[in-house]
Amino acid sequence: MPERIWNFNAGPATLPLPVLEKIKSDLPNYNNTGMAFMELSHRSKDYAEVHAEAKALLKELFFVPDSHHILFLQGGASTQFFMIPMNLLQEGQKADYVNTGAWSKKAIKEAKLFGSVNVAGSSEDANFTFIPRHADLKLSSDAQYVHITSNNTIAGTQWASFPDTGNIPIMSDMSSDILSRKLDLSKFGIIYAGAQKNLGPSGVTVVIIRDDVLQKCRDDIPTMTMYKTHAEKDSLFNTAPTFSIYILKLVLEHVKSIGGLEAVEKENIEKGNLLYGTIEENKEYFKCPIPEDSRSLMNVVFRLPNEDLEKKFIADGLSGGFGGLKGHRSVGGIRVSMYNAMPLKGIKELTGFMKDFMKDNG
Ligand code: PMP
């Protein structure tokens, strides 16, 4: 086994090596404080600088408009499944949800605790293998918001573009594609993402909330569940996940150093072209169940001719230095998660392995 493998895990996922090396060199004495970063007070000047810098970098790199607040919360994206309806949905009020996979379903389940849910579109009947067309969505004119999952980590699908919802804000779970492509964020009321795929380690959840949506949020619910608490206290109402935020800052610095979002998006497209291209060129052997317009650039799913070959592919892959290739247990097959930190070189080597495997096991 080599010292580091190509890590295709779905999350927590691979991080840029320079970031890991920087974390190591900052230990155990951060910035001459005589303490490691995770030992610093969350009220200290050294911590405050990192907190502010992480926010500023995310704003700059992801083109977050001035109308939006950036929050660093805990509880994972799963906590956002209930925080959004808890803050924005009163009894008798309605929200639209698009059901594109296991994570959308979990969000829908939580929303039903607070208000009425209209499932405006779904691909469940087709095992979540596609993203519904905008024209097929049955959006309500009186919804408080429309919730979507921009990238479906398990199913391997991604919204290529977003529906026009007029004045109704879109809330998007971007856990697995935040900061992977340039988007017009102005129409999003809330964007949320656990950091552990594109942004850093687990432990911090990024929430980007538009000011008019924030103003509509309730203030008669438990303090920690109120978006207003965290916006007013700059995400320092209580002890922040300081170490995760510090690594988030390092990841963002790294993204900036390699050319920002433009460079990241370009490489993500190149990786997608190479991997999907290899699948298509060998489609008698590798089969991707997702139609082209719904394919994810972050999580690529495909099948081999039978399950025994898939098991062998995963095992041979691991001994060849390619980890995390097993598809989610609910889908089976192969899943290649290739977030921002997976370089094109990793996909070049993987596609080489795929072709060799096919030759040897044809
Ligand atoms: N949404 C999506 C799209 C995800 O991929 C995941 C985690 N894989 C979650 C939500 C749940 O996130 P967390 O574990 O941070 O609660």
Side-chain angles (χ1 to χ4, degrees):
M1 177 75 66
E3 205 185 323
R4 272 181 68 78
I5 59 166
W6 293 116
N7 173 0
F8 299 103
N9 279 326
T14 193
L15 287 169
L17 190 56
V19 167
L20 300 177
E21 281 163 352
K22 174 76 174 124
I23 297 166
K24 191 171 158 190
S25 75
D26 278 351
L27 284 168
N29 180 2
Y30 178 78
N31 200 21
N32 268 330
T33 55
M35 293 174 273
F37 195 85
M38 64 283 245
E39 298 174 301
L40 300 178
S41 163
H42 61 297
R43 306 288 175 204
S44 65
K45 180 175 150 290
D46 284 282
Y47 177 71
E49 277 171 15
V50 166
H51 190 91
E53 187 63 14
K55 226 171 93 171
L57 279 166
L58 185 59
K59 182 172 165 66
E60 175 190 338
L61 293 167
F62 200 32
F63 302 94
V64 179
D66 289 340
S67 50
H68 287 60
H69 304 252
I70 296 175
L71 311 178
F72 298 141
L73 307 184
Q74 298 188 59
S78 301
T79 292
Q80 296 309 306
F81 294 162
F82 71 79
M83 260 178 86
I84 291 175
M86 195 176 193
N87 274 270
L88 289 156
L89 212 51
Q90 313 250 11
E91 233 188 294
Q93 289 183 332
K94 185 195 288 174
D96 285 345
Y97 277 73
V98 186
N99 182 15
T100 53
W103 300 110
S104 307
K105 275 182 85 162
K106 290 189 177 176
I108 289 169
K109 177 169 179 267
E110 301 299 287
K112 283 181 176 165
L113 298 171
F114 299 95
S116 103
V117 170
N118 168 47
V119 178
S122 174
S123 50
E124 187 161 13
D125 287 350
N127 218 4
F128 299 121
T129 47
F130 70 94
I131 299 289
R133 288 185 317 185
H134 299 182
D136 294 337
L137 298 176
K138 306 252 180 323
L139 298 171
S140 336
S141 56
D142 57 345
Q144 300 300 308
Y145 58 83
V146 179
H147 182 281
I148 62 162
T149 313
S150 55
N151 186 79
N152 297 277
T153 323
I154 296 173
T157 63
Q158 186 175 25
W159 290 73
S161 62
F162 300 97
D164 181 4
T165 58
N167 287 331
I168 301 178
I170 301 179
M171 315 308 201
S172 181
D173 177 356
M174 286 196 195
S175 289
S176 47
D177 67 347
I178 192 167
L179 199 67
S180 68
R181 54 180 171 167
K182 186 152 190 270
L183 298 174
D184 172 10
L185 300 194
S186 62
K187 60 177 157 197
F188 292 94
I190 295 180
I191 288 163
Y192 63 95
Q196 63 269 22
K197 300 167 202 296
N198 264 338
L199 298 178
S202 58
V204 58
T205 310
V206 168
V207 174
I208 303 173
I209 181 168
R210 206 171 65 199
D211 197 54
D212 60 303
V213 172
L214 179 70
Q215 297 317 321
K216 279 198 202 130
C217 286
R218 292 174 70 146
D219 34 29
D220 58 350
I221 53 178
T223 312
M224 276 295 284
T225 62
M226 281 166 45
Y227 286 117
K228 283 182 181 164
T229 302
H230 302 291
E232 277 160 20
K233 299 289 184 193
D234 192 19
S235 308
L236 284 165
F237 170 74
N238 70 325
T239 314
T242 55
F243 197 57
S244 297
I245 292 170
Y246 149 79
I247 300 174
L248 165 67
K249 188 209 95 162
L250 296 180
V251 169
L252 294 171
E253 278 174 348
H254 175 76
V255 168
K256 188 167 172 170
S257 77
I258 59 169
L261 190 52
E262 201 180 317
V264 164
E265 181 168 16
K266 185 166 165 274
E267 190 166 18
N268 284 336
I269 292 169
E270 280 170 4
K271 289 186 287 182
N273 287 342
L274 180 57
L275 183 47
Y276 284 115
T278 303
I279 292 168
E280 287 308 318
E281 278 159 25
N282 302 287
K283 62 177 171 224
E284 71 293 346
Y285 198 80
F286 299 111
K287 286 197 172 46
C288 173
I290 314 297
E292 218 175 299
D293 60 358
S294 296
R295 286 182 178 174
S296 167
L297 286 184
M298 299 282 103
N299 311 94
V300 178
V301 297
F302 59 91
R303 307 294 313 226
L304 269 68
N306 62 57
E307 285 185 16
D308 287 340
L309 282 172
E310 287 171 349
K311 272 193 201 131
K312 187 165 193 306
F313 182 85
I314 293 160
D316 289 7
L318 189 59
S319 36
F322 306 96
L325 293 172
K326 194 170 188 299
H328 191 271
R329 62 193 177 281
S330 64
V331 175
I334 309 299
R335 171 174 57 177
V336 177
S337 296
M338 44 182 203
Y339 302 115
N340 292 350
M342 173 57 62
L344 180 61
K345 183 164 185 276
I347 304 304
K348 282 189 180 151
E349 292 193 12
L350 177 72
T351 49
F353 164 73
M354 286 166 67
K355 287 188 242 172
D356 289 345
F357 185 89
M358 186 178 76
K359 250 186 249 138
D360 297 342
N361 300 275

